[in-house]
Every structure is written in C-alpha cells, then in structure tokens.
Amino acid sequence: MTTTLKARWAMDEVTLGAWCMIPEPLTAEALGRAGFDWVLVDMQHGCMDYETALNMIRAIDTTAATPIVRVPWNDPGIIGRALDAGALGIVIPMIQTPDDAKRAVDACLYPPKGRRSFGPVRVGMRDGPGYFMEANERIAVIPMIETPEALANVEAIAAVPGVDALFVGPFDLSIALGLPPGDNDGKPAFDAAIAKVSAAARSANIATAVLSNAKVAPLRIEQGFRMISTTTDINALSMAARSDLEAVKAATQKGK
C-alpha cells in the first residue's frame, strides 16, 4: 500500500495535484499518469454526474495518483457514494461552523469515529475485505474555508477530530472579502485570511490545502500549504491548444 496523503502531510511533505472539470475518465487517467500526487474529480463545479465520476476514479486508480472528490455539498449521501466509488479524500465546500465540519467527518468515517454507512461495493473490489479496517486511516476529510463565517470559526473547525486539512477556496473567499474572484495576494484582507487559516491548521497539527496554479503554487508552498493543485484539465487543454495554434501561425507567417 502506498503512503497516504495524510501520512505525507504528517511528515510535512508537499503534495501536488490536478483538478478535473471535464467529465472524461481518459482525461483523469492522463493527469494521473503525468506524475501528480493526487487528482481531484470536481463534482461541485465540474460537469460530471455520479456514474462518470465513478469511472474517473477507476481511471485514476490505474495510476499512482490518489483519487480525491470534491462533493457538491456537505451531504452524507453523496459523500458516502463518492467514498464507496473509491475516493480516498473528500473536499467539502462551504463549511461554516464546527458542527458542519463534524457532520462532514461523520459522513466520511466509519464508526466509532463517524457514522458512515457500510457498503463499499466498488471500493471493496479494489481494496479487498481489509478496506473496512483501514478506511478511516486512509481517507482524508478536507473542509473548505471560503466564507466570513468559516474564517471566524476556523480555529474551532480545525480542531474538530477527524479533520485532516483545511482547504482554502480562493475564489469564493475573495468574493466574500469584497475582492474579485481569484488569487488576491498583496491585498491585506486576502493575506490576513490566508495567514489565519494557516495558523489555525498549524495549531491543530493538520495540513492546509488550496486550489492554485503553476504561477502561484511556489508562494503557497512557502506559506506552508501541503496540498496544492497546479492545474485544471480544462486550463491545461486550452493553454496547450492555444500555444500550438499560435506556434503554427507564427511559423506560417515567417514562411511568407
């Protein structure tokens, strides 16, 4: 068994990932084979339904990457289905309070640590009868911090038993702070929010995570983030296609 993300974070390792918005298992597999530590299937803002997400997880399982799912909401039904499909980490959006975080933990973990229902049909085929005994230690519970209420409660959210990382959603967090969506480093309110989340995670001895890109990721590493996305499938595809097109156009113009 490979070292889990949780174990790597405990050793202060940086884990880099890719984000899937396109509903396509082949794309998820390609990202997994690119060498990322984890690949996330985004069921909140991505374009995939559950069956497609299941097949994307199966595709990621053919690679060395860890399959992660961002669920649409803090709902035990979809969280349980994502885990039963084989996700080894769950990113939960719009967590506001410690009670929200506790509900997320309950949905992700089996008793006595949580209240997850037993029925690992697909993941049981992948991992065998030992899955139940190992699941709670392997699954990462990752609430998102992206609202003023979450910021106000971030220390208490981080302290909830079973929470493994705090995920900064820079777009919604920026909007909540009265800033345009995106990375707003250098703006005092944004910098203060990043610092507050990081301090809360360090105090609770858990990791910090963030949606990022190749340009900003080095800064996030310096800030102590240990789960960092560097690209999305749709951005990588668009940028590569645009680069190739511009290269051909430029070469054609030189030949005239």
Side-chain angles (χ1 to χ4, degrees):
M1 185 183 299
T2 58
T3 305
T4 66
L5 290 180
K6 295 200 294 185
R8 295 182 64 183
W9 298 337
M11 294 184 287
D12 201 34
E13 290 187 24
V14 175
T15 60
L16 301 177
W19 206 272
C20 291
M21 312 294 289
I22 300 171
E24 175 50 59
L26 187 60
T27 303
E29 181 179 353
L31 290 174
R33 294 190 183 282
F36 291 101
D37 298 304
W38 52 272
V39 175
L40 182 143
V41 178
D42 189 350
M43 295 185 72
Q44 183 187 21
H45 293 302
C47 301
M48 64 286 299
D49 58 15
Y50 175 76
E51 184 174 358
T52 303
L54 164 65
N55 286 323
M56 292 173 75
I57 292 169
R58 294 175 67 195
I60 297 166
D61 281 341
T62 68
T63 77
T66 298
I68 306 291
V69 170
R70 178 164 72 167
V71 292
W73 202 250
N74 189 14
D75 175 81
I78 189 59
I79 290 173
R81 295 199 78 193
L83 291 169
D84 288 347
L88 289 175
I90 300 291
V91 175
I92 310 102
M94 292 294 174
I95 296 298
Q96 311 267 23
T97 67
D99 286 342
D100 288 345
K102 178 62 168 61
R103 286 193 292 272
V105 170
D106 282 346
C108 288
L109 303 182
Y110 288 124
K113 293 184 176 181
R115 301 179 64 184
R116 178 184 171 191
S117 175
F118 181 79
V121 176
R122 188 269 151 180
V123 72
M125 289 192 292
R126 184 190 72 188
D127 294 350
Y131 172 78
F132 170 75
M133 298 300 297
E134 300 167 349
N136 284 356
E137 298 306 315
R138 297 176 68 195
I139 292 163
V141 183
I142 311 165
M144 295 191 73
I145 306 299
E146 49 190 344
T147 68
E149 187 174 3
L151 274 177
N153 293 317
V154 68
E155 293 87 359
I157 291 170
V160 171
V163 169
D164 297 299
L166 301 178
F167 200 111
V168 173
F171 289 82
D172 279 309
L173 181 60
S174 290
I175 293 170
L177 296 171
L179 300 168
D183 295 302
N184 284 284
D185 299 281
K187 299 292 179 65
F190 186 83
D191 291 347
I194 292 288
K196 185 171 185 179
V197 175
S198 296
R202 285 195 302 272
S203 179
N205 199 30
I206 61 175
T208 44
V210 68
L211 174 69
S212 191
N213 55 60
K215 181 179 179 180
V216 181
L219 172 61
R220 298 291 178 247
I221 294 173
E222 290 180 10
Q223 292 170 328
F225 286 84
R226 293 299 177 255
M227 179 187 188
I228 306 166
S229 67
T230 65
T231 192
T232 68
D233 52 6
I234 197 163
N235 284 345
L237 174 63
S238 298
M239 291 173 63
R242 188 179 300 114
S243 177
D244 287 348
L245 177 60
E246 290 175 353
V248 172
K249 285 183 175 179
T252 302
Q253 291 299 320
K254 289 179 181 179
K256 289 185 178 179

